[in-house]
Amino acid sequence: SQQGEEDPQALSIQEGENATMNCSYKTSINNLQWYRQNSGRGLVHLILIRSNEREKHSGRLRVTLDTSKKSSSLLITASRAADTASYFCATDANDYKLSFGAGTTVTVRA
Amino acid sequence: DGGITQSPKYLFRKEGQNVTLSCEQNLNHDAMYWYRQDPGQGLRLIYYSQIVNDFQKGDIAEGYSVSREKKESFPLTVTSAQKNPTAFYLCASSNQGAWEQFFGPGTRLTVL
């Protein structure tokens, strides 16, 4: 069953702008991950944030986690054409299974 | 080069036929997973295996079968009992005790 839900479903921005997407989930988690998927390809892991962390950075990516609101956000700064992709949040379930949301499709216009 | 390979990239099947999708990894990961992705949707777990010779059903196992005879291989068979098999299938693996999953490039299955 899908626990995470991303918002918005789609996002179109100009190159150089920032992109922000959100993920909400229903039950308690140990950690939350963000993955990227280029069209027709497999997913690539971007970042993992643990339930006791509030913010994490990796290059141009900034992830926040608010466990009281059961939500996370992914910020991509200074976007590039290569950032055009779908982004998924994944929450942990039992037995190291992951539950994925439906994703946010980001289009970066040149 | 370490990674996960899936073959074939595209697969066409006639209704009523079984078909097997290949997934191989050389990352020495214990756990392997099969997901199904439909257009505009997230990934849904079909089957997963945490160790050789053992596997568990995921959320949508009906009409699918798997085997895990070798650590590096986790083939998925889409049987004729699967009512709507046209989809993008993704295989993934992870280290034991780790949450990060590594994905293959996927197989797009189309039923004609």
Side-chain angles (χ1 to χ4, degrees):
Chain A
S1 57
Q2 292 184 328
Q3 175 171 216
E5 288 188 13
E6 289 91 345
D7 171 64
Q9 287 187 342
L11 187 56
S12 180
I13 55 173
Q14 202 75 29
E15 205 165 18
E17 291 180 339
N18 295 345
T20 299
M21 60 211 85
N22 304 296
C23 170
S24 58
Y25 57 92
K26 298 185 179 76
T27 62
S28 301
I29 60 171
N30 294 309
N31 59 70
L32 185 144
Q33 300 178 60
W34 285 92
Y35 288 80
R36 183 187 75 230
Q37 183 181 35
N38 291 91
S39 182
R41 309 287 289 273
L43 277 69
V44 174
H45 180 263
L46 295 176
I47 198 164
L48 179 150
I49 186 165
R50 301 189 191 284
S51 61
N52 61 355
E53 296 175 310
R54 292 295 166 259
E55 189 171 311
K56 203 161 180 180
H57 297 254
S58 176
R60 293 183 296 112
L61 305 180
R62 173 178 166 253
V63 169
T64 63
L65 179 64
D66 187 336
T67 52
S68 66
K69 295 181 180 177
K70 291 189 170 57
S71 70
S72 174
S73 69
L74 171 66
L75 168 68
I76 305 172
T77 60
S79 63
R80 306 166 181 169
D83 295 327
T84 293
S86 292
Y87 293 82
F88 296 88
C89 67
T91 53
D92 62 293
N94 299 322
D95 294 337
Y96 288 94
K97 294 186 298 183
L98 296 180
S99 179
F100 288 85
T104 293
T105 299
V106 174
T107 303
V108 180
R109 306 187 307 272
Chain B
D1 232 1
I4 302 182
T5 58
Q6 290 185 244
S7 61
K9 187 170 182 176
Y10 299 97
L11 191 54
F12 298 90
R13 189 195 91 174
K14 292 182 181 178
E15 276 194 32
Q17 285 182 337
N18 291 357
V19 65
T20 298
L21 282 59
S22 167
C23 177
E24 305 274 331
Q25 53 98 2
N26 61 4
L27 299 168
N28 200 34
H29 286 170
D30 288 301
M32 297 186 75
Y33 310 82
W34 273 107
Y35 294 93
R36 170 183 172 138
Q37 186 178 31
D38 292 286
Q41 294 190 34
L43 280 63
R44 291 185 290 169
L45 183 64
I46 305 172
Y47 268 97
Y48 65 105
S49 167
Q50 293 182 313
I51 197 167
V52 174
N53 292 323
D54 189 39
F55 49 83
Q56 288 78 39
K57 293 182 179 180
D59 299 318
I60 55 165
E62 187 175 346
Y64 299 98
S65 66
V66 293
S67 63
R68 187 85 188 276
E69 296 175 4
K70 297 186 294 182
K71 187 175 185 177
E72 58 270 21
S73 178
F74 191 39
L76 172 75
T77 296
V78 184
T79 75
S80 56
Q82 169 49 234
K83 293 188 174 19
N84 185 19
T86 294
F88 189 50
Y89 291 87
L90 286 159
C91 179
S93 70
S94 66
N95 261 326
Q96 191 166 22
W99 288 100
E100 178 185 349
Q101 292 186 10
F102 294 79
F103 284 80
T107 292
R108 189 166 298 280
L109 173 64
T110 303
V111 174
L112 305 173

